[in-house]
Amino acid sequence: MKNKVYITDLDGTLLRSDQRLSSYTTEVISSALEQDMVVTFATARGYISALSVVSDITWRYPSILYNGALIYDGLTRSVIDGYWLERDISNEIIHVGRKYGITPYYFSLDVDHQERVLHESLQREGEKAFFHSRPHDPRFMEVKFLNCPPDYRTLALTYIGLHEELEPIRHEVTELFGDVIHAHMMPDYYIPSHYFLEFSHAKANKRDGLQLWSSHMGIDLENTVVFGDHINDVGLFEAGGTRIAVRNAHESIQRLADHIIDSNELDGVARYIQQQMEMSITETIL
């Protein structure tokens, strides 16, 4: 069992559509971890946000957060490594959005390496819905005028809105900075008709994030088993050894997959890991 390690996306993959883990998934992954299997997650979420939905499991190994921008050890609550967007570029991206009447959520690490999400007064539907979906989240802080503080490290700048509102921002920022940044736009899972537009360091993606994680862990990429469902998991599939899509996955992910398993609603990831544990036990007996 130690020959393979398992890295799963959360939303749409491990989590059900209500943003919860089933009792079956919790039991299986907890059992796998107790048997010294390496299981962790790679998500667009930050640590506090991820913990709010998967805390029923005691995760023993570092996770890949913010779509690859941050490698984080949840046991010691410490930053292992990451990719930060330069301050001047961060401020210019904020300026571009402001021209179109939109300011982003500013995801960052402060001088004490704590997660912070700065934002201006929330006026728009999508921004409010995102904020209210994370009640009592200590990362969030409203500021009068958003910019990148000199002692903060930028993880991501995230705009939330309709596609036609965000596309001009995506286009202009991409024209300005090209390969220096990673720009990613995808439909929001939970806010109807809305999209996320995220800007981060060029290497802040799940491909480079998985490579950085595996380097720190001393694990060959060919020994990784990755699970995903959406286009931000393409990089995870490009770098991973065995690529597994849940049945509800985007068609581009299914095309890249080595195997397609049950959907997130049917606990596909946990059922696959359970099968691997049972196979290992059988092989040991034989």
Side-chain angles (χ1 to χ4, degrees), residues 102 124 126 159-163 165-166 193-197:
I102 309 175
R124 298 159 52 78
Y159 291 88
I160 302 174
L162 303 179
H163 189 278
E165 296 173 322
L166 302 183
S193 304
H194 281 68
Y195 284 72
F196 278 109
L197 172 59

Side-chain angles (χ1 to χ4, degrees), residues 230-265:
H230 219 296
I231 52 177
N232 66 326
D233 296 318
V234 167
L236 196 65
F237 276 40
E238 289 173 343
T242 302
R243 304 161 296 183
I244 301 178
V246 285
R247 184 72 58 184
N248 54 289
H250 190 277
E251 61 181 15
S252 62
I253 294 296
Q254 293 200 32
R255 285 197 298 267
L256 290 172
D258 298 306
H259 306 287
I260 298 175
I261 58 176
D262 283 341
S263 73
N264 62 325
E265 300 291 353

Side-chain angles (χ1 to χ4, degrees), residues 96-198:
V96 170
R98 200 181 299 281
K99 290 195 303 183
Y100 293 94
I102 309 175
T103 54
Y105 280 105
Y106 175 70
F107 292 87
S108 59
L109 296 175
D110 67 14
V111 66
D112 297 317
H113 314 295
Q114 300 299 308
E115 290 181 277
R116 298 296 176 207
V117 185
L118 307 184
H119 62 89
E120 293 185 4
S121 176
L122 303 176
Q123 306 294 330
R124 298 159 52 78
E125 176 188 350
E127 296 162 355
K128 291 180 180 179
F130 181 79
F131 179 81
H132 291 304
S133 71
R134 288 154 171 77
H136 314 298
D137 191 324
R139 298 174 299 163
F140 287 77
M141 183 172 70
E142 183 175 321
V143 295
K144 185 174 181 180
F145 187 82
L146 181 65
N147 63 11
C148 175
D151 52 357
Y152 278 42
R153 288 177 287 178
T154 303
L155 293 166
L157 294 151
T158 302
Y159 291 88
I160 302 174
L162 303 179
H163 189 278
E164 57 268 27
E165 296 173 322
L166 302 183
E167 177 57 27
I169 301 173
R170 186 204 64 78
H171 178 77
E172 185 166 338
V173 171
T174 302
E175 285 288 307
L176 282 171
F177 299 112
D179 295 337
V180 175
I181 62 162
H182 177 69
H184 178 71
M185 185 152 64
M186 65 179 288
D188 183 270
Y189 279 108
Y190 310 112
I191 309 173
S193 304
H194 281 68
Y195 284 72
F196 278 109
L197 172 59
E198 180 180 279

